[in-house]
Amino acid sequence: MTENNAIILDHGAGGLLSKKLLDDIIIPILEPVYLGKMEDSGIISLNGSQVAITTDSFVIDPIFFRNGDIGKLSVCGTVNDIAVSGAKPECISLSYILEEGFPIDKLRKITESIVTTCQEASVSIIAGDTKVVGKGEADQIYINTTGFGTFSSDRSPLSLSKISDNDDVIVSGHVGNHGIHILSMREGLGFESRVLSDCAPLNKAIQAILGKYGDDIHYIRDLTRGGLGSIFNEISNDTQKNITLKEADIPLQHETVMAAEMLGVSPLYLANEGNICIMANPRITESLLQDLQAMEYTKHAALCGKVYKSEDPKVLFQQEDGTLSILDFLKGAELPRLC
Amino acid sequence: MKKYAVLTNDMQVAFANKHEERRDAVQNFLPGFLKFINSMRSHGIPIIHLQLVISDDDPRSKENYGPFPPLVEGSKGVQILPELWDEKDTIVVKNKDSGFFETDLDEKLKELGVDTLIISGMQTQICVQTTAADAHFRGYNVIVPPETVTSTRGEDTKRSLEWMESYCAKIIPSQEIISKFAQNEDI
């Protein structure tokens, strides 16, 4: 099968083929009814108030990992998508698709994990659905969550259009850890206890920095599917600006580099589930970094690049010896079913 | 003196006979490997065989292992090579690449007071490498004698040995280890 006549796994990897699927097939058909801007959350106006809405489906394999599970992930993914728009996540919906034969005790454990994560993120569950399909028609459990968030009266949504030339680029945590952790769990590679998933609700950290720095924070994006490499390419493409990253400044855990080299993958394209990039006015960078590094989920935050005006937008990767190379879109899937 | 144990990886009938290239690779390294293992036994160093057993729902259970059925429990293919097996040896059953993943290997090694692992077997770039990394993370000294590991393709072993040397293991020739032990010296 090719990408031309049927869906392949790479269409779901968050890279170039995912973008082509949306741009060439889905969006043109939806065009008469589609109002979104292809950002993490859609923003609509309801009775004069702006509301952020997002939806996401979670198909991770394995469903339980060392420091999380598909339930925690399904809350964090959606809460973080709402939070990066600048909104305060208020509530989510929760839908299960369960495979016949799925053990009730596992469903109970996942549901309890959802509750714990919702409590930590201070969000409620306001609607839900449960469907059961026959044995072999799904793999154990899939979860869909839809999130809703509100904006305070003094804050407008963050958007790509606010990114400015000379903005600093900050990454909030170690890159690629979730992908390496999940693959190591899947294959028993020996890295699973040293490299943990970064899966975490970041909404409180995001609300804290937005509350303090306001309009000096121009844009936030979570570095999920497709990883840092694909997402920075999307940002560069959509803003028509260059993003230059310094290799030595990208926060990477030693064991993650080690595992990625062994597997022949780049951590820059692996999914993260509790890691954001922030484009900010350079005048706040030092203070912002201090604040991020003082919070648990963002303690490895680092300044690792800059946004530049460009007539030929791309993501540039500056190596330690000063050499510049292009960090391209992920062509296919580094690893499937990481989120 | 350090306390040693030798781990062998996947030295099983089905793996050793998976296809002609594999059979050739194993036959080429087996005489030297057996000599090394017997030397270690003569010095009283415990030999622990990591035995991969896969469940029916594991996609690998559909793989072709030549004349042998997949590596499922109780099959002939799952057995440790008879020329390697000694009744004083220990077997640790694993389901994934690393010998530590959801097994009692770590507990067994701690009971024996082992602090240094000599890791061997096949394939170098998969089970040997992941077990070496996992052992390193758990605080063991890791030694890999290059003549005691093998892969279907020699270049995979070469690349994997380079990776292990740069991150988690000392690569020490088997003859050097045999000589040191003969002189009652640490390696």
Side-chain angles (χ1 to χ4, degrees):
Chain A
M1 273 184 201
T2 71
E3 62 196 80
N4 295 323
N5 56 26
I7 293 295
I8 59 175
L9 277 172
D10 289 359
H11 280 125
L16 202 56
L17 281 183
S18 299
K19 183 171 161 47
K20 275 178 69 67
L21 180 68
L22 289 170
D23 289 348
D24 298 350
I25 310 291
I26 296 176
I27 300 296
I29 298 170
L30 292 180
E31 197 272 332
V33 294
Y34 187 69
L35 294 175
K37 285 186 178 174
M38 300 288 291
E39 296 191 21
D40 283 329
S41 289
I43 313 293
I44 60 165
S45 190
L46 290 176
N47 295 328
S49 298
Q50 288 186 304
V51 177
I53 301 176
T54 191
T55 192
D56 213 338
S57 298
F58 299 87
V59 298
I60 190 168
D61 171 35
I63 56 174
F64 293 101
F65 42 97
R66 285 287 161 92
N67 58 331
D69 53 53
I70 191 170
K72 178 181 181 183
L73 185 67
S74 66
V75 177
C76 292
T78 290
V79 159
N80 292 344
D81 274 354
I82 291 289
V84 296
S85 74
K88 177 178 179 290
E90 301 284 357
C91 53
I92 64 170
S93 72
L94 171 66
S95 288
Y96 295 116
I97 295 174
L98 303 169
E99 183 189 15
E100 181 186 16
F102 186 64
I104 295 288
D105 63 337
K106 287 187 179 176
L107 178 61
R108 185 174 283 122
K109 195 172 169 192
I110 288 166
T111 306
E112 286 167 356
S113 171
I114 287 170
V115 171
T116 304
T117 313
C118 282
Q119 286 170 334
E120 183 183 354
S122 301
V123 295
S124 315
I125 295 171
I126 53 152
D129 182 46
T130 307
K131 295 281 192 300
V132 178
V133 298
K135 186 99 183 144
E137 293 175 355
D139 185 7
Q140 301 187 75
I141 179 172
Y142 303 145
I143 297 179
N144 174 273
T145 51
T146 296
F148 303 85
T150 56
F151 293 88
S152 59
S153 55
D154 59 343
R155 186 173 303 148
S156 59
L158 298 173
S159 80
L160 285 164
S161 62
K162 294 187 175 179
I163 295 176
S164 303
D165 298 335
N166 296 316
D167 272 0
D168 277 339
V169 177
I170 290 160
V171 170
S172 74
H174 285 142
V175 169
N177 282 17
H178 177 75
I180 292 296
H181 178 75
I182 296 304
L183 187 70
S184 194
M185 286 296 296
R186 216 183 277 173
E187 305 296 334
L189 299 181
F191 292 89
E192 60 283 345
S193 36
R194 298 289 294 197
V195 180
L196 292 173
S197 166
D198 58 0
C199 178
L202 298 180
N203 55 314
K204 292 190 176 173
I206 292 170
Q207 288 292 307
I209 59 171
L210 286 174
K212 182 168 178 180
Y213 299 104
D215 290 342
D216 280 329
I217 291 179
H218 297 157
Y219 186 68
I220 305 177
R221 177 84 172 263
D222 52 347
L223 301 170
T224 51
R225 198 176 50 154
L228 177 151
S230 295
I231 287 162
F232 279 173
N233 266 286
E234 280 180 31
I235 295 171
S236 170
N237 191 55
D238 292 345
T239 58
Q240 294 291 294
K241 294 181 190 298
N242 269 5
I243 297 173
T244 300
L245 301 169
K246 286 190 177 173
E247 180 186 29
D249 295 338
I250 293 174
L252 283 164
Q253 190 179 327
H254 172 70
E255 292 89 343
T256 303
V257 175
M258 187 174 166
E261 191 181 315
M262 181 177 103
L263 296 163
V265 298
S266 168
L268 301 184
Y269 293 109
L270 293 177
N272 308 278
E273 289 297 340
N275 198 353
I276 51 174
C277 67
I278 302 166
M279 275 62 171
N281 188 325
R283 72 180 171 202
I284 66 164
T285 298
E286 191 179 338
S287 171
L288 174 60
L289 276 173
Q290 282 175 6
D291 289 338
L292 288 168
Q293 288 161 358
M295 292 185 280
E296 175 62 22
Y297 295 142
T298 53
K299 62 187 172 194
H300 297 294
L303 168 64
C304 56
K306 213 159 177 64
V307 176
Y308 292 108
K309 186 176 180 180
S310 173
E311 301 200 343
D312 179 22
K314 56 176 83 72
V315 180
L316 293 168
F317 198 53
Q318 187 177 16
Q319 283 151 333
E320 288 194 68
D321 63 2
T323 314
L324 281 175
S325 57
I326 294 173
L327 185 67
D328 217 342
F329 252 115
L330 174 64
K331 296 287 193 305
E334 281 285 87
L335 302 165
R337 291 186 65 184
L338 294 179
C339 49
Chain B
M1 187 109 179
K2 291 174 188 164
K3 186 81 176 167
Y4 300 90
V6 173
L7 302 181
T8 79
N9 281 272
D10 300 10
M11 294 302 297
Q12 296 163 248
V13 173
F15 271 134
N17 293 281
K18 188 170 181 182
H19 42 62
E20 196 176 336
E21 292 84 357
R22 178 72 60 76
R23 266 196 298 278
D24 289 347
V26 172
Q27 287 309 315
N28 283 337
F29 111 115
L30 203 53
F33 179 64
L34 292 175
K35 182 181 164 203
F36 178 76
I37 295 292
N38 285 329
S39 171
M40 295 301 103
R41 283 192 186 113
S42 72
H43 292 290
I45 293 170
I47 310 294
I48 300 173
H49 302 290
L50 302 173
Q51 183 187 37
L52 184 69
V53 178
I54 53 183
S55 57
D56 288 340
D57 60 357
D58 189 315
R60 290 174 296 177
S61 70
K62 309 288 184 291
E63 284 184 20
N64 177 19
Y65 286 90
F68 298 98
L71 292 155
V72 292
E73 198 170 355
S75 68
K76 184 181 177 191
V78 88
Q79 290 172 6
I80 301 296
L81 290 175
E83 55 267 58
L84 174 62
W85 172 248
D86 184 283
E87 60 184 19
K88 293 197 187 83
D89 296 351
T90 303
I91 288 180
V92 170
V93 172
K94 60 171 186 166
N95 304 121
K96 298 283 186 182
D97 292 348
S98 167
F100 290 94
F101 189 81
E102 295 178 355
T103 70
D104 60 356
L105 176 62
D106 201 27
E107 289 75 16
K108 276 197 163 69
L109 293 170
K110 286 191 166 68
E111 279 170 22
L112 294 169
V114 168
D115 55 28
T116 302
L117 291 171
I118 300 169
I119 301 183
S120 64
M122 65 181 176
Q123 292 195 78
T124 321
Q125 78 282 9
I126 306 173
C127 293
V128 172
Q129 185 166 330
T130 53
T131 301
D134 212 339
H136 167 74
F137 292 149
R138 290 164 193 266
Y140 294 98
N141 305 308
V142 178
I143 294 166
V144 179
E147 303 82 5
T148 70
V149 293
T150 191
S151 310
T152 303
R153 299 186 311 168
E155 61 265 35
D156 288 334
T157 285
K158 182 173 179 290
R159 194 174 56 246
S160 175
L161 286 169
E162 287 169 1
W163 183 93
M164 286 189 276
E165 186 167 35
S166 67
Y167 285 119
C168 63
K170 283 184 182 170
I171 309 300
I172 301 177
S174 56
Q175 192 52 52
E176 186 178 328
I177 296 171
I178 291 171
S179 300
K180 292 257 185 187
F181 282 172
Q183 294 163 42
N184 210 23
E185 285 180 20
D186 259 328
I187 48 175

